[in-house]
Amino acid sequence: MLTAMDEPTAVLEARHVHRWYGTGSARFHALDDVSLQVRAGESLAVVGKSGSGKSTLMHLLALLDSPDEGDLLVDGVATGDLPARQVQRLRNERFGFVFQQFFLNPAESVLENVVLPLTIAGVPAPARRERGMAVLERFGLADKARNRAIDLSGGQKQRAALSRALVGRPSVVFADEPTGNLDSATGAQVEEELFALNAEGITLVVVTHDEELAARCGRRVSVQDGRLSGGAAA
Amino acid sequence: MRTSDLLRSALRNVRRSRLRTTLTVLALVVGASTLSLTTALGAGVSDYVTRQVDALGADDVLVVTAGSAQTGDGPVTYNPTRSTAAGGGAGLPGAGAAASLTDESVAALQRLSGLRDVRPVRSVALDYVQAGSSPRFELSLSPTGAVAQADLAAGRQLDAAGVADGIVLPQDHVAPLGFAGDAQAVGSEVTLAFTDLTGTQRQVPATVVGVSRSGLLSSGAAVGADFLDSLASQQDAGVGSPGRYPAATARFDPATADVAALKEEVGALGLQAQTIEDQLGVVTTVIAGITGILNAFAVVSLVAAAFGIVNTLLMSVQERTREIGLMKALGMAPRRIFALFSLEAGLIGLLGSVIGVALAAAAGTVISAALVAGPLSGLPGLTLLLFRPQAVVLVVVLIVVIAFLAGTLPARRAARQDPITALRYE
Ligand SMILES: Nc1ncnc2c1ncn2[C@@H]1O[C@H](COP(=O)(O)OP(=O)(O)O)[C@@H](O)[C@H]1O
Ligand SMILES: [Mg+2]
């Protein structure tokens, strides 16, 4: 990306964000006064122990969840007051998701699974097919386009999920434990793909407790009992 | 998401759990076919009755009988215009079996200004009918044949024929009397024979002016009022009027007369007046009651089927938690998720109702044809099960609407689902 790296813009920002789960005595402070900026084009690793609040933070940054206190901004615009429709549009057009689980629909073909964000956006079928085939080509799955998603191997499934995250040409890709369910060889392959995307200018937010994966990111923050520590460049 | 994509997605999901969908659809099929059969039965029978009434065309005729004055408890006070002495064969629906009209009551009726052409119904008992040298057949003369319009298979109505000795023969007598067909019988001469009070058999010629189909109301042959009177007088053999009649017929002007008021005036004489439609009204009410009950059963089975849809879709929402969560995470609006599940419900409804209605139409047509050819062959022109396109469409629409409504509960649940709960991996 050629935009000035010396004056980075925060594509995502969390300001004094709190998130509680449960009510009464079971009330649990999952995120405690978290402030964080994600700059356009960077790769950020969110690390921490299991249960520390990494996924909760990622869901908030991705506008899948809303904070109990604090603000979340996209391109400097607070999202709390945006109409639901616009938040849905933001997620659909700007964000891509890769989960630890692949969440492929077993009843649909690989291609249909991959173009789901476009289908949701209302893109006409021919354009969907064209763009879907292009990403599948890139991830070496073009010959599997007509197969049912259930017939793919683990690595192929995660590549299909990556294709789905990419097909809408998002500016930010969120990956929650993307290699957690894969053997180390396939994990390494997915890792390569993720950083290839980042090299093309896509902002990357990776939740992981895989040290090696975190080390490859430009920056890391670590979450501990719902609080942010660190944030220095790697 | 485009509507076409929603539809495709709904279609695929309906096909996905085939067994479950099939069972739900089966429940709807039962409800849909029952409802179509009962409405078709109602339509078929009431259509038949309506056509019978229309064929009679006698919307200006009142049939007056010695109505039962017993409206309250206790004994009935004596009324000289009524008589409970054994009357002649009543032969009319609604005519009291025991009570009959007297000359006084006929005279009283004639004095009513709204009525004209008041005639006591006189029954003539024929011995036989014969055409040329054909075999002889028994034949009954319909007492009200003169005022009713015959459901003609050939020829003309009595009053349009312009013949004094005209007779409308029932269709089933045409071939036995040696006529080649209904049309060939018209214009021929037949002989009517009866025995008078003195025991002498008399023969009277009559001209066939029409051939009638037998129906719910018309039975036997019909002759004009004057011809019937002359036959009755001849049968009395000059002894004179018997003084007692099972009923009387009268005409009124349907354009100006208030039928209800006329009936009340007649009622004030201790008699009972009914239009031909009134007499059929009992039949229609009974039919409406029976089809109403059957329809209620059908609707109950549909409600049960609706719970089946709720159950099926709730299970489907449960199973597809992840899928719904993913779609929401990827920016699908809750309204569209709602639409997706409602569409699935509607599709199940459409499938069940179309199959049910088609089955009912196929089975019903066969059953109806078999019944009409067999046990109900005495009612020509009857279509026992009448499948009207509007009724069929209405049944389908009703079931699709019920299915949609049943789908709203699971659809709401799906639309409200929280994406992150669905996507969390524990
Ligand atoms: N819906 C929920 N209700 C109650 N507690 C929750 C819920 N979701 C997450 N938690 C709790 O919040 C904490 C943080 O969860 P999470 O963000 O998933 O952690 P991580 O991704 O770091 O493993 C955990 O202790 C988890 O049990
Ligand atoms: Mg997690």
Side-chain angles (χ1 to χ4, degrees), chain B residues 130-376:
Chain B
Q130 187 177 27
S133 56
S134 77
R136 297 166 172 183
F137 294 98
E138 290 189 358
L139 179 68
S140 61
L141 284 182
S142 163
T144 49
V147 289
Q149 302 278 301
D151 183 8
L152 286 179
R156 326 173 75 160
Q157 299 290 351
L158 285 166
D159 47 7
V163 185
D165 63 346
I167 182 169
V168 173
L169 272 186
Q171 202 170 20
D172 57 358
H173 276 63
V174 169
L177 284 173
F179 297 116
D182 297 339
Q184 281 80 355
V186 175
S188 317
E189 185 156 295
V190 292
T191 307
L192 306 176
F194 56 87
T195 307
D196 68 21
L197 281 178
T198 64
T200 321
Q201 192 172 59
R202 302 196 188 196
Q203 275 142 353
V204 175
T207 309
V208 178
V209 297
V211 174
S212 65
R213 295 188 190 92
S214 54
L216 210 55
L217 302 166
S218 47
S219 57
V223 296
D226 294 327
F227 190 32
L228 186 67
D229 275 349
S230 108
L231 288 176
S233 306
Q234 290 183 58
Q235 192 159 41
D236 291 345
V239 169
S241 146
R244 292 180 195 285
Y245 315 98
T249 59
R251 289 183 192 273
F252 60 93
D253 187 352
T256 58
D258 177 359
V259 181
L262 270 179
K263 284 182 190 168
E264 233 163 74
E265 283 181 57
V266 174
L269 299 173
L271 305 172
Q272 187 188 0
Q274 285 188 305
T275 61
I276 304 276
E277 270 181 290
D278 289 339
Q279 298 186 323
L280 281 169
V282 183
V283 179
T284 351
T285 310
V286 169
I287 292 165
I290 292 172
T291 49
I293 290 167
L294 291 176
N295 279 343
F297 279 125
V299 168
V300 166
S301 74
L302 278 178
V303 170
F307 283 111
I309 294 180
V310 175
N311 188 45
T312 299
L313 286 179
L314 277 181
M315 280 164 77
S316 179
V317 170
Q318 190 77 30
E319 267 171 26
R320 283 151 62 195
T321 301
R322 290 273 161 89
E323 186 187 327
I324 297 163
L326 180 73
M327 289 196 290
K328 292 188 85 172
L330 298 186
M332 182 132 150
R335 273 189 309 123
R336 295 259 116 182
I337 304 262
F338 182 89
L340 180 62
F341 279 88
S342 298
L343 262 178
E344 281 178 37
L347 276 176
I348 291 174
L350 189 67
L351 204 63
S353 57
V354 168
I355 294 176
V357 166
L359 272 183
T365 309
V366 173
I367 294 169
S368 180
L371 283 177
V372 167
L376 299 176

Side-chain angles (χ1 to χ4, degrees), chain A residues 91-92 101 103 120 122 128, chain B residues 1-2 5 322 328 330:
Chain A
R91 278 208 307 270
N92 182 262
Q101 286 235 300
F103 297 128
I120 289 171
R128 286 201 309 249
Chain B
M1 212 174 196
R2 307 179 146 237
D5 288 322
R322 290 273 161 89
K328 292 188 85 172
L330 298 186

Side-chain angles (χ1 to χ4, degrees), chain A residues 50-51 53-56 59 100 176-177 207, chain B residues 424-425:
Chain A
S50 178
K54 306 183 296 292
S55 295
T56 304
H59 292 150
Q100 180 172 4
D176 194 349
E177 316 267 13
V207 170
Chain B
R424 264 186 194 282
Y425 180 66

